[in-house]
Amino acid sequence: DIQLTQSPSSLSASVGDRVTITCRASQSINIYLNWYQHKVGKAPKLLIYAASTLQSGVPSRFSGGGSVTDFTLTISGLQPEDFATYYCQQSYSTPTFGPGTKVDV
Amino acid sequence: EVQLLESGGGLVQPGGSLRLSCAASGFSFSNYAMAWVRQAPGKGLEWLSHLSGSGDAAEYTDSVKGRFTISRDNSRNVLYLQMNSLRAEDTAFYYCTKWHTPLRSEFDPWGQGTLVTVSS
């Protein structure tokens, strides 16, 4: 299976900050990397798919980049509703998720 | 609007069985692969299984292979997860989700989840 690592595992930020989360795959996954937002008690939400394609309805302050093994999720101008845990997931082969990055105040 | 609603969770003893259901609406159910993902307490998301739209191709993660069975009823727009030989480590919220595109396992949307607790 393809392993995904995320860094940092958690971060503290303030409203308005620019936040970047990194996801690294254990082997090449082309651009087949997706990002999700998960809040406690809520359904996870797809933010970005195919590394950089913004899912419909997701605010443009979210952006994704990267390819092969190294990927990023950037939130430009953190909003109060963005405090959550973020997961990367690869869809190149049998799906796997990264361990998550918790973004809090 | 696409909606997914899980049901069937609850408290079960180790070694017991449970069947989860996911009622889907708002899209052409048989055209999309579906999946189950879980989150154990204090842990991250873990993909468990997915099933093709026609129901003839399934895949499982190693930890549930041979114990869990995914299936679907396309006439009723329902996805199932039959869970046998349950263990304490299967305690988790179980989410039903849909493949966003036909060829790749991007998951969108997700149901609200159903809690399975395995304990004596």
Side-chain angles (χ1 to χ4, degrees):
Chain A
D1 288 359
I2 296 173
Q3 308 300 318
L4 298 177
T5 57
Q6 287 182 235
S7 61
S9 57
S10 65
L11 66 91
S12 295
S14 300
V15 172
D17 284 353
R18 178 184 174 94
V19 168
T20 297
I21 300 168
T22 297
C23 179
R24 176 163 289 176
S26 59
Q27 65 185 74
S28 173
I29 56 171
N30 199 328
I31 61 165
Y32 299 113
L33 192 283
N34 315 303
W35 291 97
Y36 300 85
Q37 178 191 67
H38 192 199
K39 298 179 182 180
V40 174
K42 302 283 191 177
K45 178 182 177 182
L46 177 66
L47 301 175
I48 303 277
Y49 63 96
S52 61
T53 302
L54 194 68
Q55 171 64 337
S56 176
V58 174
S60 58
R61 63 180 178 273
F62 291 92
S63 63
S67 64
V68 187
T69 60
D70 294 301
F71 302 86
T72 58
L73 172 71
T74 298
I75 311 171
S76 302
L78 200 65
Q79 296 299 300
E81 60 268 29
D82 300 336
F83 292 99
T85 300
Y86 294 85
Y87 294 91
C88 58
Q89 175 246 330
Q90 61 83 16
S91 49
Y92 179 81
S93 65
T94 303
T96 50
F97 287 89
T101 295
K102 185 176 182 180
V103 177
D104 59 19
V105 179
Chain B
E1 180 191 3
V2 174
Q3 292 195 340
L4 301 171
L5 182 62
E6 303 95 336
S7 60
L11 175 64
V12 61
Q13 292 188 339
S17 298
L18 214 54
R19 188 178 81 157
L20 306 183
S21 300
C22 171
S25 61
F27 65 103
S28 183
F29 183 68
S30 62
N31 286 349
Y32 289 87
M34 299 290 294
W36 288 97
V37 177
R38 71 183 178 187
Q39 184 179 37
K43 303 289 187 179
L45 299 172
E46 179 188 21
W47 168 82
L48 297 179
S49 178
H50 56 224
L51 181 63
S52 63
S54 60
D56 60 357
E59 199 170 356
Y60 300 88
T61 193
D62 286 346
S63 63
V64 307
K65 206 172 290 183
R67 299 189 300 126
F68 291 9
T69 302
I70 191 171
S71 62
R72 63 194 295 159
D73 184 341
N74 284 348
S75 67
R76 301 178 61 198
N77 292 356
V78 181
L79 177 74
Y80 300 102
L81 186 68
Q82 177 67 44
M83 304 185 296
N84 298 330
S85 303
L86 283 162
R87 308 165 180 167
E89 55 264 35
D90 295 317
T91 295
F93 273 98
Y94 286 72
Y95 296 98
C96 162
T97 184
K98 164 188 164 290
W99 281 33
H100 176 56
T101 60
L103 296 180
R104 295 287 172 180
S105 55
E106 309 110 353
F107 302 125
D108 181 73
W110 300 55
Q112 289 296 313
T114 187
L115 178 61
V116 172
T117 302
V118 184
S119 174
S120 55

